[in-house]
Amino acid sequence: MINSHNQTNDLVTESTSNTFNNLETILVIDDSPTNLEVLHATLENAGYEVRVEMDGNSGIEQVKNNPPDLILLDVMMPGIDGFETCRRLQANPSTQEIPIIFITALSDSVEKVKGLSLGAVDYITKPFNQKEVLARIKLHLKLRQLNLELDEQKQQLEQRVKERTAELSHALEELKKSQLQLVQSEKISFLGQLVTGVAHEVNNPVGFISTNLYYAYNYIQDLINLVKLYQKEFPTPGYEIEDNIKAMDLQHVLEDLPKVLSSMKLGTERIQGIMQSLRNFSRLDGEEKKAVDIHEGLETSLMILQHRLKALPKRPAINVIKEYGNLPKIKCYPVQLNQVFMNLLSNAIDAIEESIKDIDTFSTAYRIGLIRICTTIDKQQVTIKIYDNGIGISESVQNQIFQPFFTTKPEGKGSGLGLSISNQIITEKHGGTLQCISSVGNGTEFVIQIPLKS
Ligand SMILES: Nc1ncnc2c1ncn2[C@@H]1O[C@H](COP(=O)(O)OP(=O)(O)OP(=O)(O)O)[C@@H](O)[C@H]1O
Ligand SMILES: [Mg+2]
């Protein structure tokens, strides 16, 4: 006589001891001791580990605590019946994969259909035909085994796909990064070559203008002295000369000519200065940091962008307010830092233009574009803030602006590299930070902080 798990511990002791070998476990849930006895004997003889429960609830508990490989489930039971037991086991993700075979009366096809529709894999009929029962159980245990193997293979495959995807995205990131660096050095070296070429071409003619201005100044000085001497020695040169002196306003010419020459000299010096700072601006940085005047870099950037700041038919000039602090020379990679200034300033101009674009009349007086550059220093770091009163950046866009190739500008206008390159230059090359403070309609401020000791 077989007792249920609740009534005696014999079977449980037997079955738990079996968990150490590889016997397949079958749980029989049936309230009929006779059925249990027959099935227990048949299954055990066939080499299975058998557990039994006599009602649905105990069966469910047993399945949860000690999942079997297969369940034989009677339909008619006191308490919850076999259908309800099946429904609950199927509803629980941790038990739904265990195959359930219903035990039904031979003639009851309604029960068979209902059981199968609730998720059972098969049914066996009473009275039992031992061979058939074993054949069905064997088949479903095999199917379950195959399913488990399939699941495992699927998981392994998914894991491999995950790993490969991670490898590929890592490779893609690396590729993007090196592409970025390539573009960056391409950009710098192209700009460098261009500016060096132009500076060289301009320097030659400016050089001989400035050299000749020196001689011209001396010759003119001599000629002026000579004219003055004539005036002194020949105070009455005759009508024709006197008329001429009057017509050309000789006095004014004599006074103005040296001034004209001085301003020409000043002009050529300015051109030479600009060429020098352009060369400094675009010369490739060496391995070592250099102590430089940050303001000079900012000024040169503004000078290069001058054509974009001045008034256009569709908008007034953009105002640039400079609040420069008293900065000593700062150790940095000047060319790269200038590249950051250029990126931030041209973004600021774009943002201002974007904010004015939609206003159709010239009543933009209340919407004058404004860029404010502010530099400060304390013991630890130098801070450069670049503010613009342009369109501003929404929070969702702000999360992406430092990503390579992210742009909101039309194709051909923006490559989406400016800020990611700038961020890389500030953080990786200078150990600093680049922050963006902005909201739509309130303009944007980029804050560069560079530590003094690095
Ligand atoms: N001052 C700013 N105001 C408003 N939006 C800005 C500002 N600066 C950057 N952005 C936003 O961040 C995006 C990314 O800027 P980033 O400089 O990296 O690329 P880009 O300007 O689009 O292209 P480029 O590579 O030519 O610089 C811009 O497309 C723009 O949407
Ligand atoms: Mg940009």
Side-chain angles (χ1 to χ4, degrees), residues 12-30:
V12 177
T13 325
E14 191 186 319
S15 54
T16 44
S17 67
N18 272 335
T19 46
F20 295 106
N21 57 41
N22 276 337
L23 289 186
E24 285 169 306
T25 314
I26 297 171
L27 172 67
V28 187
I29 309 172
D30 197 328

Side-chain angles (χ1 to χ4, degrees), residues 356-397:
I356 292 174
K357 196 178 70 180
D358 298 333
I359 303 172
D360 42 8
T361 64
F362 205 68
S363 64
T364 47
Y366 56 91
R367 260 238 51 101
I368 297 245
L370 178 81
I371 293 178
R372 192 176 55 235
I373 308 171
C374 174
T375 60
T376 51
I377 190 163
D378 60 27
K379 281 198 182 108
Q380 273 94 43
Q381 58 198 359
V382 55
T383 304
I384 303 139
K385 295 180 183 171
I386 298 180
Y387 165 83
D388 69 76
N389 67 345
I391 43 167
I393 313 175
S394 71
E395 212 170 300
S396 60
V397 170

Side-chain angles (χ1 to χ4, degrees), residues 327-339:
L327 301 192
K329 291 197 165 179
I330 306 293
K331 272 187 121 185
C332 62
Y333 296 103
V335 175
Q336 298 192 20
L337 210 55
N338 292 340
Q339 206 188 346

